[in-house]
Amino acid sequence: MLTWPELKLLFIASSARVFHRRLRPFNINLVVVILNFVINGKLSGTITNIPLQGGVLKAAANIGCVVGQIGFGLAGDVFGRKAVYGIEMMVTTVATILIIAGPLSLGTGLFTYITVFRALMGVGIGGDYPMSASVVADRANLRRRGTMVTFIFAMQGWGAFIGGLIFIILMAIYKKGVHFHHHTSQLNSVWRIYTGLILIPAIITIVQRMMMTESTRMKGVQAVREDPNLIAQGKVAGIKLAPANEKGAYDSDAGSHEAEAPVAGGGIAATRAAKAAAWRDARDYFSEWRHMKILIGTTMSWFLLDIIFYGISLNQSIFISALGLANSKDPWEYLWQQGVANIIIAIGGFLPGYYFTLFTIEYLGRKKIQIMGLCMNAIIFAIMAGKYNALKKNSHGLIACFIFLQFFFNFGANATTFVIPAEVFPTRVRGFGHGLSAACGKCGAIIASLAVSIMSTNVGPQNVLWLFFGIAVIAIPFTFLIPETKDRDADLIDLEERRAALGPHHEKI
């Protein structure tokens, strides 16, 4: 059972996932459709006469994410979580305000305006990945850590559902003006209100994040940077030294006993030395092959996963058409059906998959779920590619394939690629390791958003599905580079390795 402090921690860390899901693919697809209709008079998800700009507009947030994931992840390790956590949400909030304030008088230039500030918004969204994952993993009890980190990620499924629900509520409110009186200019208000509604809860989340204290484990990292002799003494805050036949206790700021050990608080010289050591930590840690191969495993599995995950998500219009939705030429009906379709996708694939992972991750382990998910994705892609012509004529079969594909993305690698980097790396490099892994994933998403539609046109959708099958298969071996993180205390292992490096005269843990 989770304690009240743990539940509060999860609320603070996971609320951003709900907001971010509404700001990403579903939201921008609707924004492009609405603006294209209001500005150009065309009911299409492709910007009239400038389709490339539409691709860049949709990819802008992911491009910003790469910067935010690496930058905030490294900053969290160097300066501490408390000093950084909340700033990423401020960036997202400011960018959102600027986006909804974009003047319609810019005409087609409004697409460029939104693209620029979506990139800035992406920096903040990207920063939340390593920061929220690290903040929770730093504090989580070892036996509940996987569940807690999965909970953060699973909230984006609710974000997709709530986002779709809010959108159709707004469309119902504006039905009279848009549908009956044909005041289609009112759609300009719909996307601004829809995007701006997140600002109130976002500001509340910022205040809560800024009020959080530093975790015991991060204090221990800062203390070691000021006084490296603590490594030899085995006195590192938050790490309980145990005999080889015992599991290392993962002390938690959210309810468990905290180890009593020195924390940072030296003089000016020690502080300067600590800052220098902080910048060196990631370089020194990943210079060893035993650590670098794990980083290769987390980065490449996330990179390959996001190519196929975003590749299929950006082409979900095929699935929506199979449902008999979004085929209307009326602006209000078309957008209403888009909202309904996204709710169906969230309920049918996103939420069930996330919660299967949530309730089984501490029993099955992370690697088994990731490998199983990738294998099932490969099988479903092979079926969709091999039976492509038959599925085009059988809408029920196409719908079933899409639902199962989404289910095994989320009861699989889409969830575990987020969880594993938060657990497999020690606190001192956790932010950078998670941030770099997530950034590689977003590079895969960028490739998908810019290349998949072009490839579908040039080589055909069937060959693209075969390509996705191959990518899912290739991702499986990279998972074997990663150790199982269930019951694994990366800080305890790191401390043992660092003590062993000092020489044989130091007692081994």
Side-chain angles (χ1 to χ4, degrees):
M1 296 293 292
L2 297 177
T3 64
W4 168 246
E6 285 174 329
L7 291 172
K8 182 180 178 182
L9 172 64
L10 287 178
F11 171 76
I12 295 171
S14 64
S15 55
R17 306 301 303 176
V18 180
F19 309 150
H20 294 169
R21 187 68 190 179
R22 284 179 51 199
L23 289 169
R24 287 167 62 198
F26 173 54
N27 176 271
I28 194 58
N29 287 340
L30 291 173
V31 170
V32 170
V33 171
I34 291 173
L35 290 179
N36 202 24
F37 181 78
V38 172
I39 295 173
N40 298 317
K42 302 291 184 179
L43 196 61
S44 169
T46 302
I47 301 174
T48 306
N49 299 325
I50 41 176
L52 180 60
Q53 187 178 21
V56 175
L57 172 58
K58 293 179 181 180
N62 285 331
I63 294 171
C65 272
V66 173
V67 177
Q69 285 161 338
I70 297 175
F72 277 95
L74 182 60
D77 289 342
V78 172
F79 301 108
R81 319 292 192 226
K82 176 177 172 55
V84 178
Y85 202 37
I87 297 176
E88 76 294 330
M89 203 61 178
M90 293 180 188
V91 173
T92 304
T93 301
V94 170
T96 302
I97 293 171
L98 291 171
I99 287 172
I100 62 176
L104 197 60
S105 59
L106 290 174
T108 56
L110 184 57
F111 291 112
T112 303
Y113 175 92
I114 293 175
T115 299
V116 172
F117 290 110
R118 269 185 60 80
L120 176 63
M121 182 185 69
V123 174
I125 292 175
D128 182 71
Y129 276 72
M131 289 307 302
S132 288
S134 296
V135 163
V136 171
D138 289 351
R139 291 166 163 80
N141 183 288
L142 181 61
R143 294 181 298 275
R144 297 191 289 269
R145 186 183 59 195
T147 300
M148 292 179 69
V149 178
T150 302
F151 183 91
I152 303 171
F153 195 70
M155 288 304 289
Q156 69 179 22
W158 286 106
F161 172 75
I162 294 171
L165 191 61
I166 291 174
F167 184 77
I168 63 173
I169 290 173
L170 285 172
M171 291 305 298
I173 293 171
Y174 279 88
K175 182 177 182 178
K176 183 177 181 180
V178 176
H179 187 56
F180 294 118
H181 299 302
H182 306 291
H183 297 318
T184 53
S185 60
Q186 292 182 5
L187 291 173
N188 186 47
S189 300
V190 171
W191 77 264
R192 294 179 193 269
I193 295 172
Y194 174 72
T195 304
L197 278 175
I198 71 160
L199 293 175
I200 296 175
I203 292 170
I204 295 172
T205 302
I206 291 171
V207 174
Q208 292 174 324
R209 291 186 175 188
M210 299 300 288
M211 292 173 63
M212 289 184 68
T213 59
E214 192 64 89
S215 71
T216 300
R217 289 196 171 240
M218 196 65 219
K219 289 177 182 176
V221 169
Q222 293 168 338
V224 168
R225 288 168 178 168
E226 289 195 6
D227 184 6
N229 291 325
L230 294 174
I231 297 173
Q233 298 168 15
K235 295 180 179 179
V236 180
I239 302 177
K240 181 180 179 181
L241 307 188
N245 63 343
E246 294 182 18
K247 293 179 181 178
Y250 207 77
D251 293 322
S252 170
D253 286 353
S256 298
H257 170 70
E258 295 178 5
E260 294 182 3
V263 294
I268 296 176
T271 302
R272 289 176 179 172
K275 289 182 179 179
W279 288 106
R280 291 196 307 269
D281 266 346
R283 183 195 65 190
D284 294 345
Y285 183 81
F286 291 112
S287 65
E288 299 182 38
W289 170 244
R290 58 182 171 180
H291 302 145
M292 176 56 74
K293 71 176 182 179
I294 297 174
L295 185 64
I296 293 172
T298 60
T299 53
M300 287 303 299
S301 57
W302 206 335
F303 170 75
L304 295 168
L305 180 277
D306 269 15
I307 291 177
I308 57 177
F309 178 73
Y310 279 87
I312 203 70
S313 296
L314 292 169
N315 287 280
Q316 66 185 30
S317 58
I318 298 172
F319 165 74
I320 294 174
S321 296
L323 287 172
L325 298 172
N327 296 320
S328 174
K329 298 300 181 182
D330 179 79
W332 186 89
E333 287 186 357
Y334 179 88
L335 291 167
W336 172 270
Q337 291 172 356
Q338 284 277 357
V340 171
N342 278 272
I343 290 175
I344 293 172
I345 292 170
I347 295 174
F350 285 167
L351 289 173
Y354 284 136
Y355 281 91
F356 264 76
T357 301
L358 185 71
F359 291 119
T360 62
I361 194 166
E362 301 295 2
Y363 300 98
L364 298 178
R366 290 63 161 157
K367 286 182 69 173
K368 287 181 181 178
I369 292 176
Q370 181 157 312
I371 292 169
M372 177 273 298
L374 289 169
C375 288
M376 292 304 299
N377 290 150
I379 291 170
I380 295 170
F381 277 127
I383 292 172
M384 293 176 72
K387 299 291 184 180
Y388 180 76
N389 292 325
L391 287 173
K392 282 179 67 177
K393 301 174 184 177
N394 180 4
S395 61
H396 292 92
L398 182 61
I399 292 168
C401 284
F402 189 88
I403 290 293
F404 278 111
L405 194 61
Q406 291 296 333
F407 176 81
F408 284 109
F409 271 135
N410 299 308
F411 181 36
N414 192 41
T416 53
T417 50
F418 181 87
V419 175
I420 291 173
E423 300 183 307
V424 76
F425 302 118
T427 300
R428 65 189 179 112
V429 295
R430 179 171 289 139
F432 176 76
H434 194 284
L436 184 61
S437 300
C440 288
K442 281 296 169 282
C443 288
I446 293 167
I447 290 172
S449 62
L450 296 178
V452 169
S453 60
I454 298 174
M455 290 181 62
S456 295
T457 302
N458 294 334
V459 303
Q462 186 174 16
N463 288 326
V464 171
L465 289 171
W466 278 121
L467 175 63
F468 287 169
F469 160 77
I471 292 173
V473 171
I474 293 171
I476 295 172
F478 285 104
T479 304
F480 288 100
L481 294 175
I482 307 167
E484 176 54 61
T485 57
K486 180 177 179 288
D487 296 330
R488 186 178 194 269
D489 189 339
D491 283 319
L492 190 62
I493 295 170
D494 183 48
L495 179 57
E496 183 178 23
E497 291 174 352
R498 295 172 84 180
R499 291 187 71 186
L502 294 175
H505 60 285
H506 292 286
E507 183 182 356
K508 192 174 182 181
I509 298 172

